[in-house]
Structures are given as structure tokens and as C-alpha cells.
């Protein structure tokens, strides 16, 4: 929700770009979806312009420069 709001996007806009329903976006934002499918996470990351790691809470870095590798130990 924070990323979506920071980018000035509505749930409808994100759902259209991620090819999912507004209900799915709402459920993800309130935490009623346990583990979303990888394909959805990739679509949401692309729609929001962030990395999948950032969405999943693995990284605090929202974007990774092209060609830059971030390795977690």
C-alpha cells in the first residue's frame, strides 16, 4: 500500500497493470492473502516499479540499477 500511495496510484491502476483484480490488490494490502503466486509478485513489482525483493520484504532497496547485482548472505 505504501509503495502504491507513494507513486500516486489507485488500486484500480495497479490491478490493471498487474493483470489482477482490485479485490486481489485490496486483500494483499490488508494482509488476507498468505503467499501470493510468484507470477503475481513479478507483475506487481513491474506495475509499481520496484524489485520483487522489495515487495517481499527481503530488501530495503526499492530499485536495483540495471546490471547491478545485490547478493544476500
Amino acid at each position: 500500500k505504501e509503495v502504491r500511495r507513494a507513486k500516486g496510484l489507485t488500486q484500480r491502476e495497479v490491478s490493471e497493470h498487474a493483470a489482477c483484480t482490485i479485490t486481489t490488490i485490496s486483500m494483499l494490502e490488508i494482509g488476507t492473502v498468505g503467499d501470493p503466486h510468484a507470477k503475481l509478485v513479478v507483475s506487481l513489482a513491474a506495475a509499481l516499479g520496484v524489485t520483487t525483493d522489495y515487495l517481499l520484504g527481503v530488501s530495503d532497496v526499492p530499485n536495483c540499477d540495471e546490471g547491478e547485482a545485490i547478493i544476500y548472505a
Side-chain angles (χ1 to χ4, degrees):
K1 182 188 272 186
E2 293 83 16
V3 174
R4 177 181 62 75
R5 285 186 173 170
K7 297 201 178 252
L9 299 170
T10 65
Q11 288 181 341
R12 179 179 301 281
E13 290 169 324
V14 173
S15 70
E16 289 172 356
H17 290 290
C20 65
T21 66
I22 296 171
T23 302
T24 298
I25 300 299
S26 178
M27 291 172 64
L28 284 165
E29 289 184 353
I30 61 174
T32 57
V33 174
D35 292 321
H37 293 287
K39 187 174 181 176
L40 177 57
V41 174
V42 170
S43 295
L44 288 171
L48 294 168
V50 297
T51 64
T52 54
D53 283 354
Y54 184 76
L55 279 185
L56 295 170
V58 176
S59 171
D60 291 333
V61 180
N63 299 304
C64 182
D65 293 333
E66 189 173 327
E68 178 183 348
I70 298 176
I71 300 173
Y72 300 96

